[in-house]
Amino acid sequence: MTAATGQRWTLRGAHTEYTVTVPAHGRWLELVAWGPHGVSDGPSPVAYDGPVPFLTAGDAAPIEYATDADRPFTGADLVIETVDGKRRVGFVHTDARIDAYQRELAVDFVDPVTRLRATVHYRVPEGTDVVQRWVELSNDGTDELRVVRAGSGGFCVPTPHGALLSHQWGQWSQEFQLSHVELGHGTFGIGSSQGVPGHLHVPWLAVRDTAGPAGPAWGIALAWTGSWEIRAERDTGGLTRVRAGRQLVDGPLELAAGERLSLPVVTGAYSPDGLDGLARVWHTHQRLLAGDRLTDRPVLYNSWEATYFAVEAQSQLALARIAAELGVETFVVDDGWFVGRNDDTAGLGDWTPDPAKFPAGFDTFIAEVRALGLNFGLWVEPECVNPKSTLYAEHPDWVYAVDGRPLTPVRNQYLLDLGRPEVAEFVHSTVDGLLRRYDIDYLKWDFNRPRTEPGRPGGVGPLDLDGAHVANLHRIFERLRRDHPDVLIEACAGGGGRTDLAMAARADVFWPSDNTGPLDRLAIQYGFLHANAPHLLSSWVTDAPGLFDPRPRTLGFRFVLAMAGVLGIGADIRAWTPAERAEAAGWIARYKEIREIVTRGEVHLIGGPDQARCAVQYTAPDQRRVVVLAWHTGRLDGAGLLPSRPVRLPLRGLDPAARYSDGERHYSGSHLGGVGLPVQWSATHDADLIVLTRD
Ligand code: GLA
C-alpha cells in the first residue's frame, strides 16, 4: 500500500514548530522548517531542488531519515544489508498519523524488496520546545537482515554563512569543556565506543550560523547510555545536517524475520537566543523528564574525600555529627563499606557491609546516623567486579570476555555482562536487597570502567552487547525507582562519564566530575549547565587545596559554586575550625532559602569561566525573586588594593519597568539589564550570592 504524498505535518511546541513533508516521489520524509511559530509559512529555509551534478537529489535534500539508497554519498542514517550482502534499502511512504494537538506524529515507510518497515516517530512534550524522534524498524520479510548503521535521525539546520558548532569534550576530572568549532565544509564528528557515553565527549551538539551567534541556536542530544556517534556535515549549499545515533561497536545488529528494533530517541531543541537560550530549552525538557521527582534536593555530605577507603563506623559518625550541626540533610557513605574493600584492588561484587568496619552492625550504624536527624545514602558500583572477590571466584564467566584472549582490567576491575539475564537479576536483586534490608534514602550508583572486551565467554557473534547492557541498565533503574520511590539515585561514572538524556530521565542527579577544584569546577559546571538543568548538578565543597586544583579560593567561593546545583560537602569537616563551621552553616541555611529557585528558576548563564564576568542567574517562575551566583575568575593578587570599579553583571529576562532590591540597594530592571548588577571583588571576597526581590 502506498499513501498520498506531498502531505505536510506541523508539530507545535510552546514557542516553536517543526514541519515535515513527504515529497511527491514518496521515498522519504523531508524537513520543511524548524524554528519559531510561523517559520513554516514561507519558502523553506532548507529545501533544495536545483541541479546536483555528480550527486543524487537525496544527497542534497533535507531528509529526516535517510537510507544509503537516499543519500549514497553524503551520509545515511540507516544502512541495511541482506544476509548475502546486498545493500540500498529504499523506502516507499505508506501511512501517517498525527494527534489533534500536533504533538505526536508517526510516518510509515516500507521497503518493497526486503519488506523492512520503518516508522519515524515524533513527539513534542507539552510545554517544551524540543522534538523527540525515534525510529522503529520491523522486519516483515522472510529473511534475516543486518543493520549495519543504526542512526536515530538527521536534523537539518540552515547555516548559510558557515556552521558554528558547540560541543563538550573532556577526560576524567575535566569533563564538560565547552568548545566551539567553525565548520566551513566537511564533517565534524564526536562519539564514544566505550559502551557508555564517556568522559571524552557529551552526546550533545549545538549548531548556529556563524553570522549570528547570539541568534537562533539548534541543539541535538541523544538519549542513549551506550556507544554513540554524532556527525555534522555542512554541504556546499550551506545546509548542516547532523545525524545522531548508536555506534555499533559490536558489529551489525541482526534483525530476524518478524523481529522489531527500536532505535534510541534523539532530541532536537530550538531557541532564538543563542546557546544561553538553548540551555533553558534543555532545562525545561529535563525538568519535565523528572516529573514529580523534580523536588528540592537535600544538602548532602559525602565522606569519600575525607576518609577514602578507610571507612569505619566511628570516623563516619564523627563526620556525620558535624555534618548534622552544619545543617546537612543526607549523609552518604562512599566506596569502602563492604567486605574486602580496603583499596581499589578488591571487593567489588561482594556487597555485604564489612563487619570489621561496622562491629555493632550496619543497621546500628545507620540508625546512629539517622538519630542525628540525617537521611542515609550509600555508594554502589554493581556492574563491576574485582578479580579479587567472591563474586568473580564463583562467576568468572559473568564478565565480558573474548574467548582465548586476555581480559583488560581498568582500575583493577572487570565489567559484568549486564545483558545476561542472570547478571541483570544479580545486579537488580543486590541493589534492591540493600534498599529493602537497610534504611537507605539515597544511592550513588557508580561505574568506573568502560567496556573493553566485545564478547561473552562461549558466545557466538555478533551479539548486541551494547544494546543489551543499556536496556537492562535502564530497566533496573526504572524498577528500583518504581519499587523505592523515595530513594534518590545519583548517577556517577568516575565523575561525569554517564550523562545522557536517557539517564536524565532515570536518575535524579548526576555527579559531573571528581574534580572539585574551584576554578576547574567552575568550567565543568558552566559546560554542564549548557546541557543539563541545575537539579541534575551535584556539587561538593571540598578542602583547599584540593586533589586537582591548588589555586586557592575562599570557602565562600566554594560554597557559592556548589550552590549552583545540588549542594553537598565532601571535605574533611573534622578539621574545619569553629569559624569555618559557622560560615558553612550560614551558607547551607542560605542555600535552603534559595534552592527552590535554583531547582525551578529560569537560568541565564552570564559571561563564562574564562571571562571577567562569570555568574549564573536564576529567576523564580513567578518572577518575584532573582538569585545571582557570581564568581571572581581573575587573579586574586592585588584585587581590591588598587582603585577598582565593580564588575557589572548584565541580568537577563527582567521586567525593565520593575524595581528590584537586594535588601540595601534598589535597581530598575532596565538598569540591571543594561548597566548590570555591581559586584566588587577583593582577595577575600571572590564570590557572591545576591538575592533580588521585586518591589
Ligand atoms: C569514582 C567516583 C568517586 C568515588 C570513587 C570511589 O571515582 O567518581 O566520586 O565514588 O569512585 O571509588
Side-chain angles (χ1 to χ4, degrees):
M1 182 189 90
T2 54
T5 56
Q7 294 184 77
R8 56 190 251 172
W9 304 274
T10 295
L11 291 145
R12 280 180 75 81
H15 313 93
T16 45
E17 63 188 38
Y18 193 101
T19 300
V20 291
T21 186
V22 175
H25 56 66
R27 299 205 305 268
W28 60 66
L29 190 60
E30 240 176 66
L31 180 69
V32 175
W34 177 21
H37 285 164
V39 71
S40 321
D41 299 341
S44 164
V46 289
Y48 179 76
D49 54 14
V52 283
F54 258 88
L55 292 171
T56 71
D59 284 305
I63 302 183
E64 289 286 285
Y65 195 64
T67 70
D68 56 339
D70 304 334
R71 286 173 76 90
F73 306 120
T74 56
D77 306 296
L78 182 73
V79 178
I80 297 281
E81 202 173 74
T82 59
V83 274
D84 52 357
K86 296 197 181 83
R87 296 194 176 187
R88 296 294 194 259
V89 155
F91 289 122
V92 177
H93 171 53
T94 54
D95 202 0
R97 298 163 295 286
I98 188 161
D99 74 323
Y101 304 103
Q102 292 177 263
R103 286 202 300 267
E104 290 199 37
L105 169 68
V107 188
D108 300 322
F109 293 87
V110 70
D111 171 35
V113 176
T114 60
R115 308 301 302 166
L116 175 73
R117 251 185 331 118
T119 302
V120 183
H121 290 272
Y122 294 83
R123 185 169 167 268
V124 175
E126 193 179 354
T128 71
D129 288 302
V130 301
V131 50
Q132 295 176 306
R133 297 176 47 184
W134 70 100
V135 171
E136 287 189 25
L137 299 175
S138 167
N139 182 356
D140 290 1
T142 48
D143 298 319
E144 182 184 307
L145 296 171
R146 282 193 209 119
V147 184
V148 176
R149 187 182 298 163
S152 286
F155 282 97
C156 296
V157 176
T159 50
H161 306 93
L164 178 60
L165 306 178
S166 301
H167 64 109
Q168 298 185 28
W169 63 276
Q171 55 182 324
W172 174 76
S173 88
Q174 293 286 349
E175 299 88 336
F176 302 104
Q177 304 298 309
L178 187 64
S179 213
H180 313 282
V181 174
E182 271 194 34
L183 185 69
H185 294 281
T187 307
F188 171 83
I190 50 176
S192 161
S193 56
Q194 297 186 310
V196 63
H199 296 78
L200 303 181
H201 302 282
V202 179
W204 173 96
L205 188 78
V207 185
R208 290 170 287 170
D209 186 79
T210 47
W218 291 263
I220 290 98
L222 191 65
W224 182 248
T225 315
S227 298
W228 59 276
E229 60 186 345
I230 295 181
R231 287 183 173 277
E233 180 156 24
R234 184 167 179 272
D235 72 14
T236 49
L239 180 78
T240 298
R241 189 170 188 275
V242 181
R243 57 185 172 82
R246 294 184 56 181
Q247 187 180 150
L248 299 180
V249 286
D250 300 315
L253 307 177
E254 288 176 357
L255 195 60
E259 232 182 348
R260 300 169 74 95
L261 176 68
S262 249
L263 299 175
V265 172
V266 59
T267 306
Y270 172 82
S271 166
D273 301 318
L275 278 192
D276 180 50
L278 199 60
R280 286 189 289 283
V281 174
W282 288 123
H283 295 177
T284 303
H285 177 47
Q286 290 175 330
R287 288 168 177 171
L288 273 160
L289 287 178
D292 59 7
R293 296 181 71 100
L294 184 70
T295 52
D296 287 355
R297 305 295 190 234
V299 177
L300 67 80
Y301 179 84
N302 180 301
S303 60
W304 173 241
E305 288 197 21
T307 51
Y308 290 109
F309 293 102
V311 170
E312 54 78 41
Q314 287 319 313
S315 55
Q316 298 301 303
L317 284 168
L319 290 163
R321 258 178 240 116
I322 303 164
E325 280 164 25
L326 301 183
V328 164
E329 295 159 312
T330 298
F331 183 83
V332 183
V333 173
D334 210 278
D335 198 352
W337 57 270
F338 45 100
V339 286
R341 191 65 168 171
N342 299 313
D343 53 35
D344 65 12
T345 64
L348 285 182
D350 301 342
W351 300 102
T352 308
D354 187 342
K357 296 182 173 179
F358 302 97
F362 204 49
D363 297 280
T364 309
F365 166 70
I366 295 175
E368 284 172 335
V369 171
R370 302 187 81 90
L372 297 165
L374 294 164
N375 281 342
F376 184 72
L378 199 61
W379 176 95
V380 289
E381 192 183 357
E383 296 152 85
C384 288
V385 62
N386 285 119
K388 274 197 241 167
S389 67
T390 308
L391 181 72
Y392 188 69
E394 287 174 359
H395 298 287
D397 56 325
W398 278 11
V399 303
Y400 289 111
V402 177
D403 286 339
R405 302 281 174 194
L407 294 173
T408 314
V410 177
R411 207 195 187 204
N412 308 304
Q413 64 202 51
Y414 300 145
L415 187 58
L416 295 177
D417 179 353
L418 195 62
R420 292 173 65 147
E422 62 277 34
V423 175
E425 168 54 27
F426 165 79
V427 168
H428 173 262
S429 63
T430 297
V431 182
D432 180 69
L434 286 167
L435 296 179
R436 287 180 197 281
R437 170 80 181 75
Y438 300 107
D439 213 349
I440 294 171
D441 309 279
Y442 190 98
L443 204 62
K444 177 175 169 188
W445 183 305
D446 209 340
F447 179 89
N448 277 302
R449 59 151 300 155
R451 178 164 66 87
T452 40
E453 271 62 54
R456 179 175 284 180
V460 284
L463 289 168
D464 182 15
L465 300 171
D466 199 57
H469 194 117
V470 172
N472 279 345
L473 179 76
H474 288 171
R475 260 183 232 126
I476 293 170
F477 267 66
E478 287 159 16
R479 239 177 118 182
L480 291 172
R481 278 173 96 157
R482 189 196 62 205
D483 297 341
H484 307 278
D486 297 329
V487 176
L488 290 177
I489 307 184
E490 175 175 13
C492 169
R498 194 145 78 176
T499 66
D500 68 284
L501 283 178
M503 287 310 276
R506 291 170 178 83
D508 299 297
V509 65
F510 291 145
W511 178 238
S513 179
D514 282 346
N515 188 342
T516 50
L519 290 179
D520 283 2
R521 187 69 173 201
L522 190 62
I524 290 165
Q525 295 191 175
Y526 180 77
F528 183 92
L529 286 174
H530 275 85
N532 297 288
H535 72 273
L536 290 166
L537 171 62
S538 177
S539 193
W540 307 340
V541 174
T542 52
D543 284 315
L547 267 184
F548 301 99
D549 186 340
R551 285 169 291 174
R553 282 297 185 269
T554 64
L555 190 59
F557 188 108
R558 287 174 278 142
F559 263 100
V560 174
L561 186 56
M563 286 170 158
V566 180
L567 173 63
I569 300 183
D572 188 351
I573 47 181
R574 292 170 301 184
W576 281 13
T577 63
E580 285 170 328
R581 290 183 196 177
E583 184 181 340
W587 285 118
I588 290 173
R590 290 188 75 189
Y591 177 72
K592 289 176 183 169
E593 285 166 12
I594 59 148
R595 70 178 150 190
E596 190 188 344
I597 303 173
V598 172
T599 309
R600 294 186 178 75
E602 181 186 277
V603 171
H604 292 268
L605 297 154
I606 300 167
D610 50 1
Q611 297 172 32
R613 290 168 175 169
C614 183
V616 186
Q617 171 191 343
Y618 307 78
T619 306
D622 68 1
Q623 310 279 312
R624 300 222 60 85
R625 286 204 295 162
V626 181
V627 172
V628 180
L629 307 180
W631 302 275
H632 180 27
T633 56
R635 292 171 58 152
L636 293 178
D637 47 338
L641 299 177
L642 296 170
S644 57
R645 290 188 174 78
V647 169
R648 293 281 186 161
L649 303 169
L651 304 189
R652 299 284 173 234
L654 302 186
D655 177 354
R659 294 196 48 84
Y660 298 84
S661 156
D662 63 6
E664 283 175 22
R665 288 174 293 191
H666 296 268
Y667 310 88
S668 68
S670 154
H671 180 96
L672 291 171
V675 181
L677 176 72
V679 282
Q680 180 77 57
W681 301 134
S682 73
T684 53
H685 185 74
D686 56 8
D688 225 332
L689 186 178
I690 300 153
V691 181
L692 297 165
T693 311
R694 193 170 164 159
D695 291 346

